[in-house]
């Protein structure tokens, strides 16, 4: 369905409100992250029936029992990656492709891995239609990383893991950042890690609740 100019304006206004009240108001300061969230049309990454809720302060279902993350959580995770524009970023859990678009706005190249082909294909179509040309897509278990194109300057995992998968730490460059929710299947904390001298130094950002990472270094099906 094509959107009329009036509809596009309404979504732009909703996006501005989202950034002011949910993102800036809660302390996100990185101007590039705020700009990207003002620009990316989040409503195009959810089913037509949910478009009017796309800028709400909550996650939404995207099929296969998965979700598009709450806008604020996308902002927190993205800011923690400290992207300047020249990075190669690995994203584990493409989902709707919304976070992928935000990363594609802020980094040089995004490598994204998704477990469900239905979600990957849908996200790919939307991202290509929007004109993104700096994204590589892969179907598979992202808990193993993407060895052929590693190492990465930054890694973001958008599903809950019982531990930080060791292959992801290996595939991070010296000085690289990883952001990942770690915990059990019901609740987790967002962990930010920085690799120094071959070792990962971590800090806890905030409590979160994500769907589970299912895979070799994730949870069982
Ligand atoms: N960032 C996404 C967005 O903006 O829509 C939200 C992702 S959703 C919370 C988590 C995604 O991780 C789901 O699409 C799920 O299928 C995917 N996933 C779970 N385990 C995975 C794995 N081992 N490898 C790749 N993707 C995985």
């Amino acid at each position: 369905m094509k959107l009329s100019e009036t509809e596009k304006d309404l979504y732009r206004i909703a996006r501005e409100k989202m950034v002011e009240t949910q993102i800036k108001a809660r302390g996100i300061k990185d101007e590039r992250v705020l700009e990207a969230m003002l620009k990316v049309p989040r409503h195009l990454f959810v089913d037509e029936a949910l478009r009017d809720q796309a800028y709400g302060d909550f996650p939404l279902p995207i099929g296969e029992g998965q979700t598009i993350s709450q806008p604020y959580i996308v902002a927190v995770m993205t800011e923690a990656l400290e992207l300047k524009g020249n990075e190669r970023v690995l994203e584990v859990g493409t989902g709707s492709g919304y976070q992928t678009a935000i990363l594609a706005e802020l980094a040089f190249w995004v490598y994204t891995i998704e477990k469900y082909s239905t979600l990957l294909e849908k996200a790919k179509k939307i991202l290509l239609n929007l004109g993104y040309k700096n994204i590589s897509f892969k179907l598979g278990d992202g808990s193993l990383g993407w060895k052929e194109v590693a190492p990465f300057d930054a890694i973001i995992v958008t599903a809950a893991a019982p531990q930080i998968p060791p292959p992801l730490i290996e595939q991070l460059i010296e000085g690289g950042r990883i952001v990942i929710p770690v915990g059990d299947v019901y609740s987790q904390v967002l962990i930010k890690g920085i690799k120094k001298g071959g070792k990962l130094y971590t800090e806890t950002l905030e409590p979160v609740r994500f769907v589970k990472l299912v895979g070799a270094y994730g949870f069982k099906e």
Side-chain angles (χ1 to χ4, degrees):
M1 184 192 76
K2 262 197 136 20
L3 295 179
S4 70
E5 286 309 311
T6 319
E7 274 176 310
K8 279 189 191 166
D9 279 347
L10 289 175
Y11 286 125
R12 182 181 48 75
I13 292 165
R15 207 151 50 238
E16 285 169 2
K17 190 172 163 210
M18 171 190 86
V19 169
E20 282 302 320
T21 62
Q22 300 172 35
I23 315 286
K24 267 195 198 173
R26 292 193 184 120
I28 301 296
K29 291 192 176 62
D30 185 328
E31 280 299 329
R32 296 182 71 243
V33 174
L34 297 172
E35 281 300 316
M37 295 197 70
L38 273 177
K39 181 174 170 193
V40 175
R42 182 172 161 96
H43 57 280
L44 298 182
F45 292 86
V46 299
D47 282 351
E48 239 173 273
L50 294 175
R51 277 191 181 160
D52 290 346
Q53 297 181 59
Y55 296 98
D57 196 11
F58 38 74
L60 284 170
I62 55 171
E64 307 288 6
Q66 308 302 319
T67 52
I68 176 174
S69 305
Q70 179 192 9
Y72 170 65
I73 294 298
V74 172
V76 170
M77 294 180 83
T78 310
E79 186 173 62
L81 293 177
E82 301 174 34
L83 301 174
K84 301 285 178 271
N86 55 356
E87 298 85 357
R88 296 168 71 251
V89 182
L90 174 68
E91 178 191 35
V92 176
T94 317
S96 69
Y98 174 68
Q99 171 80 72
T100 321
I102 298 289
L103 296 171
E105 291 285 339
L106 298 171
F108 170 68
W109 205 274
V110 183
Y111 298 86
T112 186
I113 310 178
E114 170 55 50
K115 175 183 180 308
Y116 289 101
S117 60
T118 43
L119 297 180
L120 189 72
E121 289 311 316
K122 214 195 265 185
K124 189 172 179 179
K125 197 168 157 199
I126 297 166
L127 290 161
L128 295 179
N129 275 343
L130 284 171
Y132 291 104
K133 293 188 172 61
N134 57 343
I135 305 170
S136 301
F137 300 86
K138 180 179 175 173
L139 181 67
D141 177 6
S143 77
L144 298 167
W146 193 337
K147 216 173 170 180
E148 297 77 10
V149 290
F152 304 99
D153 301 289
I155 299 179
I156 178 170
V157 181
T158 65
Q163 57 175 332
I164 305 180
L168 299 187
I169 303 174
E170 279 159 31
Q171 293 175 28
L172 202 56
I173 63 154
E174 194 49 34
R177 284 85 55 206
I178 181 168
V179 181
I180 176 170
V182 177
D184 59 33
V185 290
Y186 305 107
S187 69
Q188 310 92 33
V189 285
L190 212 49
I191 301 280
K192 173 179 178 175
I194 302 185
K195 192 169 169 180
K196 285 184 193 153
K199 213 174 154 243
L200 198 70
Y201 291 85
T202 59
E203 65 175 296
T204 300
L205 300 182
E206 56 186 281
V208 284
R209 185 163 185 186
F210 272 83
V211 293
K212 55 185 183 181
L213 180 77
V214 177
Y217 294 95
F219 292 99
K220 300 270 169 289
E221 202 63 68

